[in-house]
Amino acid sequence: MKIELENILPEQIENRSFAIIESELPKDREIDALQKPVIKRVIHTTADFDYLDNLKFSEHAVEQALAALKNGACIVTDTNMAKAGIHKASLEKLGGAVHCFMADEDVAAQAKRRGCTRAVVCMEKAAQLGQPFIVAVGNAPTALVRLYELITEGKLTPELVIGVPVGFVNVVQSKELMMQTGVEYIVAAGRKGGSNVAAAICNALIYMAAGER
């Protein structure tokens, strides 16, 4: 069997990929213009068109995220993998930075002492940042549950919560909780998600805020 490959330069691959995604989106469905770049970048990252339906946006999620990023908001992630995937140079142009506290010694010590996950302590540490921030959770549902508690207790109000943990235990429930807080959110309903999805959503928002891509 003969296999034919497209002759395409490396720097053209992303543009070609997005063109393919655009061509395969349903023609009979109107997609919100602000949400579309986020959805397309997640599909680009995962090759999974289910995210067209799985990604749930609160009413002003993208608008608020863009305004926050343009004003120098930082991003807090629940994994160093998500942190690594975020385009820091573009975020730094906006005056922001990415934080992940999972490997911090004080976080590990407190989690061990309390018998809880590091993700829980990380969210509590984020509440002490003293500046506007977006939370991107791609792995730990316990991070979303603790965020829910902190928000309902009035201890923090993130500019946006990206809730896309992947898995089977408390994943769906934690996402449902996050959509009940009144805080702006982008959530991947169901079991799908991951640190790569969290980073993709962050990057889509960063590129939009910075006027890139």
Side-chain angles (χ1 to χ4, degrees), residues 105-169:
E105 290 184 5
D106 60 323
V107 169
Q110 187 174 160
K112 183 176 182 179
R113 184 173 65 253
R114 291 166 52 186
C116 63
T117 68
R118 293 189 187 191
V120 165
V121 183
C122 284
M123 295 303 104
E124 295 169 352
K125 191 166 183 175
Q128 307 303 317
L129 275 175
Q131 68 178 109
F133 63 91
I134 290 168
V135 182
V137 176
N139 182 68
T142 53
L144 283 188
V145 172
R146 187 60 181 133
L147 270 177
Y148 169 81
E149 294 170 347
L150 292 168
I151 291 167
T152 55
E153 292 166 5
K155 294 180 179 178
L156 85 163
T157 306
E159 299 297 316
L160 173 75
V161 173
I162 297 169
V164 294
V166 60
F168 300 94
V169 179

Side-chain angles (χ1 to χ4, degrees), residues 4 23 36 53 65 81 87 91 108 110 117-118 123 130 165 167 169 179 187-188 195 197 209:
E4 295 185 3
S23 72
K36 192 173 186 179
D53 297 308
M81 183 182 296
H87 200 280
L91 181 59
Q110 187 174 160
T117 68
R118 293 189 187 191
M123 295 303 104
V169 179
M179 290 190 284
V187 164
S195 295
V197 174

Side-chain angles (χ1 to χ4, degrees), residues 35-51:
Q35 296 175 9
K36 192 173 186 179
V38 178
I39 295 169
K40 286 175 66 176
R41 188 156 290 278
V42 172
I43 293 172
H44 175 259
T45 296
T46 62
D48 187 347
F49 278 80
D50 283 354
Y51 283 102

Side-chain angles (χ1 to χ4, degrees), residues 78-99:
D78 69 324
T79 65
N80 279 302
M81 183 182 296
K83 179 182 177 181
I86 293 172
H87 200 280
K88 297 166 193 64
S90 295
L91 181 59
E92 287 168 4
K93 290 178 184 176
L94 297 167
V98 187
H99 304 285

